[in-house]
Amino acid sequence: MQLGKWVVDLVLIFSLLSPQFSGSVAETTSSSTPICSEEDRASLLRFKASISQDTTETLSTWTSRDCCDGGWEGVQCNPSTGRVNVLQIQRPGRDDDDETYMKGTLSPSLGNLHFLEVMVISGMKHITGPIPNSFSNLTHLTQLILEDNSLGGCIPPSLGRLSLLQSLSLSGNHLKGQIPPTLGALRNLAQLNLAKNSLTGPIPLSFKTLINLQYFDLSYNLLSSTIPDFLGEFKNLTYLDLSSNLLTGKIPVSLFGLVNLLDLSLSYNKLTGNIPDQVGNLKSLTSLQLSGNLLTGNIPLSISRLQNLWYLNVSRNCLSDPLPVIPSKGIPALLSIDMSYNNLSLGIVPDWIRSKQLKDVHLAGCKLKGDLPHFTRPDSLSSIDLSDNYLVEGISNFFTNMSSLQKVKLSNNQLRFDISEIKLPTELSSIDLHANLLVGSLSTIINNRTSSSLEVIDVSNNFISGHIPEFVEGSSLKVLNLGSNNISGPIPVSISNLIDLERLDISRNHILGTIPSSLGQLLKLLWLDVSINGLTGQIPSSLSQITGLKHANFRANRLCGEIPQTRPFNIFRPVAYAHNLCLCGKPLEPCKKQGSMGQ
């Protein structure tokens, strides 16, 4: 969506600077200024009629007789001819805004806007149906951006007739079928984005003619076959993303002749073979993502020649020892490295990683042993993942001077320490220490000072004891996992202060007392597990207010009484309520009426 906006903005800037535009100001003041073509107006109104709901309120401005008078939002005309040449409808606001959209279809009548140069209908989310074949009539079109809608069906092969097209983006829809080979006729394309659809089959061989491509994104589809060699002929390419497909075979060596390439992502495919040593030839490269493949061999030493590389991710492959010994001045721009889950037996974190001023260090599953590492520049670290290793000691001063740390994962190690004695960085938003040998209480992690910044706490599968602390107002917690410990005492009534909580797991502890009715105030809760404790009393009816709950488990307590007879509680599987004293009501047996035993 950002690409589309950038391209359209650029087109509009050029149009504003053109001599044709400079003379239009005088024209607009004259009585001879043409109003918009009746054919264009009718085509736009048929599109408006095909939209059943418009919460953007864009189309509510399409009311005047003249669609070129500036009052029709998103519509622009050539001032000398009165013909519509720009249709730009983009959802305003944030990407996570669920309230702003259009619902309907793309009317084939838009294909009658014969002088259209730019069409952008993006981010509307609920525009469905096919891309009309009539769009192939828009022979003046240079930009076609239909991203982030819900368009379905196949990509019309007839789009290959749009010979002036420089930018084509159909990403973020529900398109299926193969990529039409006819798109290879679009030799003026600089940007091609078909990402985030359900496209199948190979990358068409006809694409070898698209030598002017600068931006090429086919990620998040179901494309198969190998990566074609001809991509190495796209010498202007700066961005190449083929990630999250079903591509097989080796990485073509030809790709490493793309000296202008800034971003290369081939992650999450089924690629095999080595990382070619020629990777060091990508002098401009800033981001290299090869994770989630079946790559073998060593990480080549030639990556040390990549002077501009700041992001390196080769995680989740079959890469093996030894690691290259990177010179002190190698990869000088590196900020983020992820080598997790390969066949590496590092033992310790290499000096060239510990000594760099890095932002992210992810070395999960790399067979690290002994003490936690000491970083030369701890103040720069934002994210650390050393989980699934064999680390045992060194927590006492590990967080010292980590003033920028936001996320840390040290789970599934053999760390043994008193959790109440550690001092966490003030900016920390996520801490995952599950499956270690931790003891002590939660008083340091959950208190007035630390709980305001933390969003994720996972200390499950340890030996933590004591009570669950009180929760203060203003907490940002979204995930709280205290499961499988030795925690005792009640669930505090103040748990209602965790108004953003989405996941709560306190299972497999020694928690007693009743489930507080204040738990029903956690309206964002999606996951609740209080199983295998000593809870008594009823499941509070107030929990029926949590209508978005996807999973709940009350198993193996001492609960009694009627299960809340509202969705979703009355449709969870019976096992969620098993092994209690006397729970009843759907999905279990009906409750017995009071006094029925004496009749």
Side-chain angles (χ1 to χ4, degrees), residues 264-313:
L264 175 60
S265 181
L266 307 176
S267 296
Y268 294 99
N269 281 287
K270 298 181 178 181
L271 301 175
T272 54
N274 296 349
I275 301 174
D277 189 59
Q278 291 89 339
V279 67
N281 296 336
L282 297 176
K283 302 298 185 183
S284 303
L285 202 65
T286 61
S287 174
L288 177 61
Q289 302 181 58
L290 303 175
S291 58
N293 281 290
L294 302 169
L295 299 173
T296 53
N298 308 124
I299 299 171
L301 176 60
S302 63
I303 64 167
S304 63
R305 302 202 304 265
L306 300 177
Q307 297 292 302
N308 299 305
L309 191 72
W310 68 267
Y311 183 77
L312 174 62
N313 190 343

Side-chain angles (χ1 to χ4, degrees), residues 387-510:
S387 55
D388 296 299
N389 282 296
Y390 302 98
L391 300 167
V392 293
E393 300 288 349
I395 196 70
S396 57
N397 57 357
F398 179 69
F399 293 114
T400 305
N401 297 323
M402 289 189 181
S403 54
S404 301
L405 192 65
Q406 295 180 22
K407 296 182 179 180
V408 60
K409 283 190 71 173
L410 302 175
S411 57
N412 202 23
N413 278 284
Q414 297 166 11
L415 295 168
R416 185 189 303 271
F417 61 90
D418 188 328
I419 195 171
S420 63
E421 295 178 0
I422 64 171
K423 184 178 180 181
L424 298 179
T426 55
E427 299 297 316
L428 199 66
S429 64
S430 176
I431 182 168
D432 186 350
L433 298 171
H434 82 264
N436 278 288
L437 304 171
L438 312 187
V439 298
S441 71
L442 296 167
S443 57
T444 299
I445 290 184
I446 302 174
N447 60 40
N448 293 358
R449 184 173 53 82
T450 59
S451 61
S452 61
S453 61
L454 280 171
E455 294 184 358
V456 177
I457 297 175
D458 188 346
V459 291
S460 58
N461 290 89
N462 280 290
F463 299 93
I464 296 169
S465 56
H467 294 185
I468 299 174
E470 297 290 336
F471 300 99
V472 298
E473 291 183 4
S475 169
S476 302
L477 267 183
K478 295 181 179 178
V479 175
L480 179 60
N481 191 346
L482 310 178
S484 299
N485 278 288
N486 295 322
I487 298 170
S488 57
I491 302 172
V493 174
S494 60
I495 198 164
S496 59
N497 286 324
L498 305 183
I499 58 174
D500 291 322
L501 200 66
E502 298 174 3
R503 186 181 182 105
L504 175 63
D505 190 338
I506 56 173
S507 63
R508 298 177 185 272
N509 279 286
H510 308 293

Side-chain angles (χ1 to χ4, degrees), residues 42-308:
S43 297
L44 291 171
L45 289 178
R46 282 197 289 272
F47 165 69
K48 180 179 178 179
S50 73
I51 301 298
S52 59
Q53 191 173 4
D54 175 21
T55 66
T56 73
E57 299 186 354
T58 298
L59 302 182
S60 65
T61 66
W62 292 15
T63 55
S64 67
R65 286 294 306 167
D66 185 2
C67 64
C68 294
D69 64 2
W72 286 41
E73 187 177 337
V75 177
Q76 297 181 40
C77 302
N78 183 320
S80 61
T81 64
R83 302 305 297 256
V84 174
N85 61 355
V86 173
L87 176 60
Q88 182 180 5
I89 299 175
Q90 288 179 282
R91 177 169 54 89
R94 309 182 315 274
D95 286 343
D96 59 354
D97 176 10
D98 292 328
E99 304 301 320
T100 308
Y101 58 85
M102 286 184 186
K103 182 180 290 186
T105 59
L106 292 180
S107 172
S109 67
L110 292 176
N112 296 327
L113 298 171
H114 295 293
F115 292 86
L116 201 63
E117 298 172 21
V118 174
M119 184 195 291
V120 178
I121 302 175
S122 71
M124 293 298 111
K125 294 191 295 188
H126 298 299
I127 293 182
T128 58
I131 299 171
N133 274 311
S134 62
F135 283 13
S136 63
N137 298 328
L138 303 174
T139 54
H140 290 86
L141 213 57
T142 61
Q143 320 291 336
L144 178 57
I145 313 294
L146 302 176
E147 58 193 19
D148 297 324
N149 298 298
S150 293
L151 300 171
C154 298
I155 299 173
S158 57
L159 293 183
R161 299 177 195 160
L162 303 177
S163 59
L164 299 182
L165 213 56
Q166 297 170 21
S167 180
L168 174 61
S169 179
L170 308 176
S171 69
N173 285 289
H174 304 305
L175 300 170
K176 59 185 180 180
Q178 297 196 7
I179 301 172
T182 53
L183 298 187
L186 304 175
R187 299 189 180 189
N188 289 308
L189 274 185
Q191 291 93 16
L192 177 58
N193 187 351
L194 305 178
K196 299 176 183 175
N197 282 289
S198 299
L199 301 171
T200 55
I203 300 171
L205 289 176
S206 62
F207 275 21
K208 64 184 177 183
T209 59
L210 304 180
I211 57 175
N212 292 313
L213 275 182
Q214 299 171 26
Y215 184 106
F216 190 28
D217 190 349
L218 301 179
S219 61
Y220 292 94
N221 278 290
L222 301 169
L223 300 174
S224 53
S225 79
T226 58
I227 299 174
D229 266 329
F230 63 71
L231 295 184
E233 300 300 317
F234 296 174
K235 300 303 182 183
N236 296 323
L237 209 58
T238 61
Y239 184 97
L240 176 60
D241 191 348
L242 304 178
S243 62
S244 299
N245 278 289
L246 303 171
L247 300 172
T248 56
K250 296 183 177 182
I251 302 173
V253 173
S254 63
L255 293 184
F256 303 109
L258 298 173
V259 294
N260 293 312
L261 200 61
L262 300 176
D263 292 89
L264 175 60
S265 181
L266 307 176
S267 296
Y268 294 99
N269 281 287
K270 298 181 178 181
L271 301 175
T272 54
N274 296 349
I275 301 174
D277 189 59
Q278 291 89 339
V279 67
N281 296 336
L282 297 176
K283 302 298 185 183
S284 303
L285 202 65
T286 61
S287 174
L288 177 61
Q289 302 181 58
L290 303 175
S291 58
N293 281 290
L294 302 169
L295 299 173
T296 53
N298 308 124
I299 299 171
L301 176 60
S302 63
I303 64 167
S304 63
R305 302 202 304 265
L306 300 177
Q307 297 292 302
N308 299 305

